[in-house]
């Protein structure tokens, strides 16, 4: 049984930093592209970042480029995202997602096979 579990969310002031983690079990982690999505209240889910199986290249939404960094530790079956210079508009539920093999369109939620339950990030102004 595949499980994807996010952690690391919380409340932070604008300008602060957080590191999200996502641990996947029940699958061969090395075989999966991994992504982060987020959804704010009243808004559609949006893609934030993706990293391919081998660890590179990585993709980012324009809104987070230069502030967020995605990376993975295949030995630990864990995906991370370092978030710096957080803004109130980054407030959302953040979801981790896994896609087996090659991913054609990294920012399309339908590409992903497995999803976690999410971790809440709240940035106060």
């Amino acid at each position: 049984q595949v499980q994807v579990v996010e952690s690391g969310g919380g409340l932070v002031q604008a300008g602060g930093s957080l590191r999200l983690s996502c641990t996947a079990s029940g699958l061969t982690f090395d075989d999966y592209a991994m992504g982060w999505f987020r959804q704010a209240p009243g808004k559609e889910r949006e893609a934030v970042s993706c990293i391919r199986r081998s660890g590179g290249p990585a993709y980012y939404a324009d809104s987070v480029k230069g502030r967020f960094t995605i990376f993975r530790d295949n030995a630990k079956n864990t995906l991370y995202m370092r978030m710096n210079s957080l803004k109130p508009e980054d407030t959302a539920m953040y979801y981790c997602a896994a896609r087996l093999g090659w991913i054609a369109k990294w920012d399309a939620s339908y590409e992903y096979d497995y999803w976690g339950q999410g971790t809440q990030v709240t940035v106060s102004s």
Side-chain angles (χ1 to χ4, degrees), residues 52 59 99 101-108 110-111:
R52 294 198 179 275
Y59 306 91
R99 156 71 188 218
W102 178 260
I103 189 165
K105 190 168 172 54
W106 74 270
D107 54 352
Y110 61 76
E111 287 272 6

Side-chain angles (χ1 to χ4, degrees), residues 51-123:
I51 188 167
R52 294 198 179 275
R53 292 174 293 172
S54 62
Y59 306 91
Y60 297 93
D62 288 344
S63 58
V64 306
K65 277 181 184 176
R67 299 189 297 122
F68 292 10
T69 302
I70 191 172
F71 56 104
R72 63 191 294 164
D73 185 339
N74 287 349
K76 295 182 177 179
N77 282 16
T78 302
L79 174 74
Y80 302 94
M81 185 162 69
R82 180 68 178 176
M83 305 187 296
N84 295 328
S85 302
L86 283 162
K87 304 175 181 179
E89 51 263 44
D90 294 317
T91 294
M93 185 71 78
Y94 283 72
Y95 298 91
C96 175
R99 156 71 188 218
L100 177 64
W102 178 260
I103 189 165
K105 190 168 172 54
W106 74 270
D107 54 352
S109 58
Y110 61 76
E111 287 272 6
Y112 293 83
D113 304 307
Y114 300 104
W115 293 81
Q117 294 298 307
T119 185
Q120 178 68 38
V121 172
T122 303
V123 184

Side-chain angles (χ1 to χ4, degrees), residues 18-66:
L18 283 174
R19 189 183 78 168
L20 303 184
S21 299
C22 167
T23 301
S25 60
L27 51 74
T28 304
F29 189 73
D30 305 35
D31 290 341
Y32 284 76
M34 301 295 296
W36 288 102
F37 286 72
R38 66 185 181 186
Q39 187 167 18
K43 295 188 176 181
E44 292 187 357
R45 187 172 296 190
E46 64 172 343
V48 178
S49 185
C50 172
I51 188 167
R52 294 198 179 275
R53 292 174 293 172
S54 62
Y59 306 91
Y60 297 93
D62 288 344
S63 58
V64 306
K65 277 181 184 176

